Amino acid sequence: MSVDLLLGLQWGDEGKGKIVDVLTKSYDIIARFQGGPNAGHTLEFEGIKHVLHTIPSGIFHPSAINLIGNGVVIDPVIFERELSNLEPYKIDFSSKLLISKKAHLILPTHRLLDAASESSKGKAKIGSTLKGIGPTYMDKTGRNGIRVGDVLTKDWRERYNTLTQKHLRMLNFYNVELDFDLEKLEREFFNSIETLKKCQIVDSENYIHHAQATGKKILAEGAQGSLLDVDFGTYPFVTSSTTTAAGACTGLGVAPNKIKEVFGIFKAYTTRVGSGPFPTELFDSVGERIAKVGHEFGATTGRARRCGWIDLVALKYAININGVTQLMMMKGDVLSGIDTIKVCNQYKTEQGLIDHLPYDINDKSLTPEYIEFPGWEEDLTQINAADQFPKNFVDYIDFLEKELNTPIKIVSVGPDRKQTIFR
Ligand code: GDP
Ligand code: IMO
Ligand code: MG
């Protein structure tokens, strides 16, 4: 049985959590494949909003198994908090939530190293969520990391101590002021490890292979977005994992020829949180309006998201890298009432007009070229079928679909599960 894949095509926060929740009823297993608690995936139904960081977004469905894959990095303290936030919903975690033995752990000192690294960079900082993501993936690829499976062994505390001592020496090297109480952080950490140990810790790749062999339907859930991919994103202003389709292969043990549908999610405009280039960013009242109407504040850090027009150059790039087979457009409702909507389809550079993403979009001389569309006045949030969309909105969707050469199968018109239109 094949695996479907859902991932963000921009700089994250496209609405992955909402759509995974909507699609879960058609799947047996929802599996997160990369990232960690830098992610904030929002789901809304029955008037309640939930934000998940480590737990996959299928957790509210009674029958689906939710798996945290080997490619994910887990902060047990944040994970424990997520579990306790979900207590009122009486979810049977012991049967519904599985964790890969090979997922790496974020240690308290990884968070401190993240803070020290960012602080030492000054103005050049990445704008990290400071959850310890970069240092944890560095230890993973540097072959020093501690994995979930290790905490089931006797000598892992020794390895923890060796690694923590090394981190403390590295912190000295940074020579930045950091206020922390390691004893308190470690108390929290080791307590939360006990909670983690009560979960089902599995050889997740074997579990997935067995599930495939027995005809189970699997949806792989990405975190962040393609433009934050460590290889293909706007380096160095990226995260430290493979956020693109290949990440599902390494982050779950799914073979490339077993991936079927690749669902690519994008907003009807663009947002970015943290530093780095953003050619279509708006600095005017339209940008402010989008931020306000779209409630564009980070689900993990609460930071204001930068807003701008949709960027087809970047979207086409993301579609190619991921092999997207179906698109999902989110938050079109937020653009209602704007007189003129702009779509960037080329960049102007010193070498002339280009329609591909260049090596360096940090280049200040690069500016977006726009096509303009008349906006729509109508409120879209109460619409429940595609044939009720206003004409100008339909024209906008049709244009994007044609330019991107990929069908837009879902149009989302509000944060709630129900505000989802299938085309
Ligand atoms: P994710 O990280 O990709 O899961 O996205 P986030 O949860 O960080 O950010 C998406 C935000 O937009 C959340 O607050 C959602 O509740 C909200 N949202 C999702 N889809 C829509 C939509 O179609 N319209 C509006 N207005 N809000 C939406
Ligand atoms: P979801 O899954 C948006 C951004 C940070 C920063 C950069 C590096 O909710 O879409 P990191 O903490 O990974 O070292 O930060 O990546 N970033 C996100 N932006 N959505 C996310 O996740 C993000 N995860 C990381 O803001 O610019
Ligand atoms: Mg988010």
Side-chain angles (χ1 to χ4, degrees):
M1 193 67 160
S2 56
V3 175
D4 294 340
L5 176 53
L6 180 143
L7 36 78
L9 299 180
Q10 296 161 319
W11 279 288
D13 302 328
E14 296 88 351
K16 299 175 289 294
K18 167 179 166 161
I19 295 297
V20 170
D21 172 61
V22 168
L23 298 181
T24 298
K25 57 180 183 302
S26 311
Y27 291 91
D28 301 299
I29 300 167
I30 307 298
R32 255 287 290 276
F33 60 86
Q34 46 67 235
N38 48 350
H41 293 181
T42 315
L43 288 67
E44 238 180 275
F45 53 88
E46 290 159 17
I48 307 178
K49 176 172 149 176
H50 306 273
V51 181
L52 299 169
H53 303 288
T54 323
I55 296 175
S57 304
I59 198 70
F60 290 99
H61 288 258
S63 57
I65 298 289
N66 285 257
L67 174 92
I68 302 172
N70 58 278
V72 176
V73 291
I74 301 176
D75 183 330
V77 179
I78 294 177
F79 175 69
E80 184 178 43
R81 212 176 298 143
E82 281 186 76
L83 289 180
S84 76
N85 287 343
L86 294 176
E87 238 162 52
Y89 305 97
K90 306 281 172 237
I91 296 165
D92 180 11
F93 291 113
S94 62
S95 66
K96 287 194 52 181
L97 185 62
L98 309 181
I99 305 174
S100 172
K101 278 188 190 163
K102 293 192 172 79
H104 279 246
L105 286 175
I106 302 176
L107 311 187
T109 41
H110 283 134
R111 289 203 304 267
L112 299 175
L113 282 170
D114 209 357
S117 165
E118 281 287 79
S119 155
S120 72
K121 284 193 160 118
K123 274 196 178 149
K125 71 174 185 194
I126 309 291
S128 159
T129 60
L130 303 180
K131 303 294 178 198
I133 305 296
T136 306
Y137 278 114
M138 281 161 73
D139 271 339
K140 172 179 175 171
T141 51
R143 297 157 298 174
N144 296 309
I146 296 188
R147 302 188 289 179
V148 169
D150 295 341
V151 306
L152 307 174
T153 64
K154 279 206 193 85
D155 67 342
W156 84 277
R157 288 287 272 261
E158 261 169 55
R159 292 195 40 224
Y160 169 89
N161 287 334
T162 308
L163 188 55
T164 298
Q165 289 308 314
K166 179 179 164 191
H167 289 164
L168 293 174
R169 290 195 296 279
M170 287 163 74
L171 280 173
N172 275 338
F173 162 80
Y174 275 112
N175 202 18
V176 294
E177 285 284 314
L178 269 191
D179 204 16
F180 62 90
D181 177 349
L182 186 60
E183 248 176 61
K184 180 168 170 277
L185 294 175
E186 291 194 325
R187 222 175 307 127
E188 255 179 11
F189 177 78
F190 287 113
N191 281 339
S192 66
I193 289 285
E194 293 311 308
T195 304
L196 189 78
K197 278 160 84 174
K198 288 186 198 135
C199 296
Q200 269 201 71
I201 297 175
V202 298
D203 289 305
S204 55
E205 65 280 28
N206 294 346
Y207 181 87
I208 296 251
H209 297 158
H210 182 257
Q212 286 176 292
T214 51
K216 298 277 191 281
K217 286 198 75 185
I218 304 171
L219 177 65
E221 173 180 3
Q224 290 78 55
S226 299
L227 302 177
L228 289 170
D229 182 275
V230 67
D231 281 276
F232 300 110
T234 46
Y235 195 88
F237 301 100
V238 294
T239 190
S240 300
S241 64
T242 298
T243 61
T244 44
C249 299
T250 57
L252 291 174
V254 170
N257 62 348
K258 294 291 188 308
I259 294 175
K260 191 170 172 223
E261 298 297 331
V262 180
F263 305 125
I265 301 209
F266 67 100
K267 280 176 182 162
Y269 47 94
T270 312
T271 63
R272 167 161 214 174
V273 61
S275 332
F278 179 177
T280 61
E281 184 168 9
L282 286 165
F283 299 96
D284 60 4
S285 59
V286 179
E288 280 165 26
R289 179 194 171 118
I290 293 174
K292 190 157 170 259
V293 178
H295 302 291
E296 293 297 355
F297 293 92
T300 295
T301 58
R303 290 179 295 174
R305 295 176 183 147
R306 301 153 63 192
C307 297
W309 297 120
I310 199 163
D311 182 341
L312 297 188
V313 180
L315 266 180
K316 282 177 192 168
Y317 177 76
I319 288 170
N320 284 339
I321 298 262
N322 293 302
V324 172
T325 60
Q326 299 184 27
L327 289 165
M328 293 156 178
M329 187 176 93
M330 313 300 285
K331 302 190 99 162
D333 55 296
V334 173
L335 299 182
S336 288
I338 297 176
D339 291 339
T340 305
I341 311 274
K342 295 189 187 182
V343 174
C344 164
N345 68 339
Q346 283 180 310
Y347 296 148
K348 197 187 218 166
T349 67
E350 276 166 1
Q351 289 73 43
L353 285 176
I354 57 169
D355 57 7
H356 64 271
L357 215 60
Y359 175 69
D360 183 11
I361 70 165
N362 283 316
D363 182 356
K364 293 276 178 295
S365 66
L366 181 150
T367 52
E369 285 282 299
Y370 291 112
I371 302 177
E372 296 190 354
F373 285 82
W376 52 91
E377 280 300 321
E378 295 84 344
D379 171 18
L380 307 181
T381 59
Q382 306 305 317
I383 287 179
N384 44 38
D387 60 8
Q388 297 164 12
F389 286 149
K391 180 179 178 302
N392 289 357
F393 186 54
V394 173
D395 289 347
Y396 186 65
I397 300 173
D398 287 349
F399 176 80
L400 298 182
E401 200 167 49
K402 195 159 146 270
E403 282 287 306
L404 299 171
N405 199 20
T406 315
I408 299 178
K409 291 285 198 182
I410 288 182
V411 175
S412 170
V413 292
D416 194 273
R417 240 183 213 174
K418 292 194 184 126
Q419 293 169 303
T420 312
I421 317 280
F422 289 80
R423 295 171 81 230

